[in-house]
Amino acid sequence: MNRRNVIWGSAALLIATLFIVYKSGVFDFKPNIKSSAAVLMDMNTGHIWMDVNGDASMPPASMSKMMTELIVLDRISEGKSRWEERVPISLYASSVGGVTLSLNRGESYTLRELFQGIAVYSANDAAVALAEHIAGSENSFVVMMNNKARSLGLSPRSVFANASGLSGKDLGPNRPPGYGNGETMLTAKDTATLAMSLIRTHPEVLNTSSLTQMKLTGKGLYVSNMNSMLPEMGGAYAYEGNDGLKTGFDSRTGYCFAGTAHRDGQRLIAVVMGAETSQERFQETARLFDYGFYLSMSWESRIKHILYKL
């Protein structure tokens, strides 16, 4: 067999192989997302790699606490607050619903403890206490949140109504009169932009969001991180490179997650809103991460990845 026949034979085999691979769907890595909305962002560039209903406004639940975290970290970096300063717990803060640290009226905790409480455990009472401490009232803190949203370029479809992300009916019986009638609403795109801004401005937040648990010293209370994708959690949904960022659940929307992962100099942000189960939000986030890291590969690495899948 002469050289020309070998070359043509090899080319024909390659074309046939690629056709089979294409027909089998191996090249189709784009995930099929089941949730109500999802966004995949390349944080290095801000480019949106995937957008499923990303402009729809819906209740984000505790993902909105990322704005509370951002404002607290801004205060720390500006020298207006200190990590070890004491934060008193009001009657209102002690009575909000949902996930809490069971804080009692008249107690006080360090700002650091309460910040960890919202970043690790998503505690609503800790979020209200921090808002009242920083702004004098949660209502004044909400003004700060919405002003910050506009400065970040979030769309008018995203509005903050409280520091916790709770619905008005879940704010508890001791909320201030006339307060809590509005609802927090975010789009998946704006949630990704908020997450990107938080990490870019205060990358140290990842040191807190990646903690597997936090301790409330005054109570001797330990609580575990709500993010099952942390590698250190060691569970079925652990994902290499994940180090945050914020979970959420609202009966009107479903299960939500704003996640971030870092590999080989590439950081991705994935937002899932409206998953049917807690597990599904992490599974779908993993699919988005896999897709994003595949897109960031060189063509040589992509070919190796395809051959490995074969």
Side-chain angles (χ1 to χ4, degrees):
M1 183 180 293
N2 60 39
R3 183 178 180 185
R4 176 175 292 181
N5 289 339
V6 171
I7 292 174
W8 278 109
S10 298
L13 179 61
L14 177 61
I15 292 171
T17 302
L18 290 176
F19 178 77
I20 293 171
V21 169
Y22 173 77
K23 295 297 287 184
S24 67
V26 174
F27 281 133
D28 186 16
F29 292 105
K30 195 169 186 177
N32 180 25
I33 299 300
K34 303 175 184 177
S35 58
S36 301
V39 162
L40 173 65
M41 175 185 284
D42 178 344
M43 201 185 113
N44 293 7
T45 63
H47 180 72
I48 300 292
W49 285 113
M50 191 164 175
D51 178 357
V52 178
N53 209 22
D55 289 319
S57 182
M58 58 188 72
S62 286
M63 291 195 302
S64 69
K65 288 187 178 75
M66 289 189 293
M67 181 62 83
T68 301
E69 295 176 42
L70 179 56
I71 291 175
V72 170
L73 290 171
D74 282 348
R75 296 272 301 187
I76 294 290
S77 65
E78 294 165 1
K80 296 178 180 177
S81 294
R82 297 176 295 103
W83 285 119
E84 301 310 316
E85 67 189 39
R86 306 294 296 187
V87 178
I89 307 302
S90 69
L91 176 62
Y92 168 44
S94 70
S95 63
V96 295
V99 176
T100 71
L101 292 171
S102 299
L103 306 179
N104 297 315
R105 181 185 186 184
E107 296 176 340
S108 70
Y109 298 90
T110 66
L111 190 150
R112 186 188 302 277
E113 287 178 304
L114 296 182
F115 183 85
Q116 290 181 350
I118 64 174
V120 174
Y121 192 59
S122 203
N124 296 315
D125 48 1
V128 172
L130 286 173
E132 293 179 324
H133 177 69
I134 287 174
S137 70
E138 188 179 23
N139 194 40
S140 296
F141 189 81
V142 167
V143 174
M144 296 172 65
M145 297 175 81
N146 285 298
N147 287 341
K148 187 70 174 180
R150 302 291 82 80
S151 72
L152 296 178
L154 303 194
S155 73
R157 291 180 292 277
S158 292
V159 179
F160 295 88
N162 53 58
S164 63
L166 286 170
S167 64
K169 64 182 179 64
D170 292 326
L171 290 177
N174 297 304
R175 63 188 184 191
Y179 176 68
N181 296 320
E183 299 292 345
T184 296
M185 304 291 283
L186 285 176
T187 70
K189 276 186 181 178
D190 285 338
T191 303
T193 298
L194 174 58
M196 178 179 66
S197 300
L198 176 60
I199 297 171
R200 280 183 174 176
T201 308
H202 303 289
E204 68 274 14
V205 71
L206 298 173
N207 297 330
T208 302
S209 65
S210 60
L211 294 173
T212 57
Q213 63 177 202
M214 58 85 59
K215 178 183 180 182
L216 201 62
T217 304
K219 288 183 178 294
L221 175 69
Y222 288 88
V223 293
S224 296
N225 202 309
M226 305 286 275
N227 176 11
S228 297
M229 295 191 78
L230 292 173
E232 293 78 8
M233 298 290 279
Y237 307 105
Y239 192 91
E240 180 188 352
N242 175 260
D243 48 8
L245 192 58
K246 198 73 204 68
T247 58
F249 171 77
D250 186 283
S251 59
R252 298 163 297 174
T253 303
Y255 291 89
C256 305
F257 185 49
T260 184
H262 182 270
R263 289 183 185 176
D264 301 322
Q266 180 80 9
R267 179 169 290 282
L268 300 174
I269 293 173
V271 175
V272 170
M273 300 181 74
E276 292 186 357
T277 66
S278 176
Q279 296 77 16
E280 185 176 275
R281 63 180 164 184
F282 298 128
Q283 292 169 339
E284 300 217 322
T285 299
R287 293 188 190 104
L288 289 168
F289 284 156
D290 286 345
Y291 181 58
F293 286 124
Y294 168 75
L295 291 177
S296 69
M297 291 179 183
S298 65
W299 281 107
E300 181 181 12
S301 296
R302 290 191 191 188
I303 292 172
K304 290 179 180 178
H305 183 75
I306 293 169
L307 293 176
Y308 175 78
K309 287 178 70 70
L310 292 174

